Amino acid sequence: MDEIIKYFPALTPLQKEQFVILGTVYPEWNEKINVISRKDIDNLYTHHILHSLAIAKFVTPAPGTTVLDFGTGGGFPGIPLAIMWPQCSFHLIDRIGKKINVAKAVAEAAGISNVTFQHGDIGECHGKYNYVVSRAVMRLDELVRLSRKNISRESINSLPNGLLCLKGGELDSETANIGRPIIEVPISDYFSGEFFSTKKLIYVEL
């Protein structure tokens, strides 16, 4: 939790309380349903919550912004971002029902009310959103192809509507044929530590 406060010192008391609850509820659920590697659960705040919040270092959305978390798993990056941006609304989708159930239970325990959930494939999601967010779900070019239909034509932010994706490693082969404006930011620009040395935030305007 100290890592979150270090990089986001302006958190409200409610936001701090909600992030503390995540640190209790995720390990409890992970004992029942493995949504985070059991070897990695002790790194929940750094490797999962803080990593998700790199998106909040890149953009501050306007009130009323809508966000689709594609392939959310147990709720990353959607749940940490929903805490950080209570003025925005989030829809979290995953094809694995057990993981969506964990994300739903975590959000309920933390009193996060600006989230909805869907068990299904991206093809079954017909809503339109300002941004699609995703965390290491698939190749970037495939992600762009599948999520484009869910991007709204109405923009309310200075950053045009598009995809905000957390990826790692070498991405040249994934970005070569996208043909859309791309911004690539090393997450080490935002957070220190070896874990973030190879991690990147990718924004694709759609």
Side-chain angles (χ1 to χ4, degrees), residues 25-42:
V25 178
Y26 268 117
E28 290 175 353
W29 272 102
N30 215 56
E31 288 293 319
K32 307 170 193 174
I33 299 169
N34 194 21
V35 294
I36 295 170
S37 165
R38 293 209 164 96
K39 295 178 181 178
D40 203 34
I41 191 66
D42 290 342

Side-chain angles (χ1 to χ4, degrees), residues 1 16-27 45 106 109-111:
M1 182 61 196
K16 290 177 183 177
E17 180 184 350
Q18 289 174 318
F19 281 124
V20 167
I21 291 171
L22 299 193
T24 301
V25 178
Y26 268 117
Y45 278 108
V106 169

Side-chain angles (χ1 to χ4, degrees), residues 57 124 158:
K57 286 291 189 182
E124 300 172 81
S158 57

Side-chain angles (χ1 to χ4, degrees), residues 72 79 90-93 100 103-105 107 115-119:
T72 188
I79 284 180
F90 290 77
H91 186 63
L92 279 56
I93 186 170
I100 276 289
K104 192 181 298 185
V115 289
T116 55
F117 301 89
Q118 182 178 352
H119 172 211

Side-chain angles (χ1 to χ4, degrees), residues 129-154:
Y129 305 87
N130 298 117
Y131 298 114
V132 173
V133 298
S134 189
R135 184 172 180 256
V137 169
M138 61 179 64
R139 284 181 57 91
L140 186 64
D141 43 9
E142 186 72 359
L143 193 56
V144 167
R145 183 182 69 80
L146 290 174
S147 61
R148 186 178 290 146
K149 70 177 180 59
N150 295 105
I151 296 293
S152 171
R153 294 302 101 197
E154 297 179 7

